[in-house]
Amino acid sequence: MTGTTHIVGAGLAGLSCAVRLTEEGRGVALHEAARMAGGRCRSYYDSSLDLAIDNGNHLLLSGNAAALDYARRIGSVDELAGPKECVFDFLDTRDGARWRLRPNASRLPWWIFAGDRRVPGTTPKDYLGALGILVAKKGATIGEAMKCSGLLYERLWGPVLLSALNTEPRDSSAALAAAVLRETLAAGGAACRPLVARRGLGTAFIEPALATLAARGAAPRFGARLKKIEFGGDRIAALDFGDEKIALAEGDRVVLAVPPWTAQELVPGLVAPDDFRGIVNAHFKIAPPPGQPPLIGMIGSLSEWLFAFDDRLSVTISGADRLMDESRESLAERIWAEVAAAAGLPAALPPWQIVKEKRATFAATPAQQQRRPGATTRWRNLFLAGDWTATGLPATIEGAIRSGYRAAELAT
Ligand SMILES: Cc1cc2nc3c(=O)[nH]c(=O)nc-3n(C[C@H](O)[C@H](O)[C@H](O)COP(=O)(O)OP(=O)(O)OC[C@H]3O[C@@H](n4cnc5c(N)ncnc54)[C@H](O)[C@@H]3O)c2cc1C
């Protein structure tokens, strides 16, 4: 097939689609509304901190096959750092208990029988409760599939599911949780090693992709916001960017890799997720104390995950809609008080930045899950990509990249 594939949106879905198509020598034109690529997964220079920071800390797991494949293809897989084995440090801020969760590498989960590997205060039998997620009825919530209370829920399932789904777990889709569990914890500790972009999301996921695309003559056109699509019969006839209209030839295709709210404005009748959840990140410019784990799950506090980078400590709070109206100053103070206590640092607030992402992900509820469209449309040259399309996964890097790969297959 000849022709150009116009990819609209240079987030991870659009970039991964472009990487795959150009690898096969296909003609690609990438259009991005913003002045930079990366969308919801980006690094930027923060002048108040005088540091490059990420819009939000992103955690990958070693079972995220598409994300690792993408990083290999753009030559950045070494940017993803993590322990050699599956290890998660936790702190229960209510009683000061600290532990290391250490699922064994293989699929047979013997770690739940080892007291020094599982959550303190729990028994092996407690872990069977989560099996309800794997056998839940279609359309069930996690609240219907398992007991959402008790020490194991508070110390493990609640925090892990909240961060994977970015939605209150009780109300979230059991099918989405099951998809995550099958590809990670149920696949054994080897698929659950935590991986973090140590030098930032830009260095790991965006800049190497842009360099790869530039070398293949497919550098994005920035500041190019698609305003309107012109439809003609069963195909798209033109893309209208306001200052420029691109007429599509017979062999040309379009991959729309924009967020769902934009896709709904552009495509008549498109049903897509329309309920979203926020994430708050707090960045503190301070060197982590010696021995600080790269990642700590914090239980019983406002702070949920504490990331340690060379030049800063950063906290992620998921499903954070309740915090969107709280002042940044108040959030910085409250979060720092918890971080200082957890890391044994002075109470004086270091330079900080709060990043609120209101529509970080779609709400991972059964109702929203039903609104996710597939990659094909009723127009034969229009394909959809993005973490919100029907990938079977929650809104994640893994899902976004899989959707980009799928659109590339369809557009080939
Ligand atoms: C704070 C935060 C923390 C997160 N943490 C994690 C995590 O720990 N692990 C994980 O796996 N995932 C995480 N995610 C989710 C992950 O970032 C997303 O799933 C992923 O980045 C979505 O990529 P995308 O390409 O589908 O969409 P987007 O990144 O939204 O990309 C869409 C692109 O389209 C562009 N665009 C919009 N309108 C137009 C237009 N009209 N014309 C042209 N271009 C347009 C946008 O500017 C953007 O660049 C997190 C997200 C946030 C916000």
Side-chain angles (χ1 to χ4, degrees), residues 296-327:
I296 301 185
M298 292 174 64
I299 312 294
S301 47
L302 174 60
S303 308
E304 290 167 358
W305 296 93
L306 172 57
F307 290 73
F309 297 94
D310 293 345
D311 50 12
R312 68 188 191 281
L313 289 168
S314 281
V315 166
T316 296
I317 304 170
S318 299
D321 302 66
R322 68 195 185 284
L323 305 177
M324 289 299 158
D325 294 333
E326 180 167 341
S327 77

Side-chain angles (χ1 to χ4, degrees), residues 31 36 99 109 145 174 223 234 240 252 296 306 310 357 381 387:
H31 313 273
M36 62 186 294
W99 66 94
D234 66 348
D240 187 350
D252 292 350
I296 301 185
L306 172 57
D310 293 345
E357 289 268 8
N381 61 348
D387 61 358

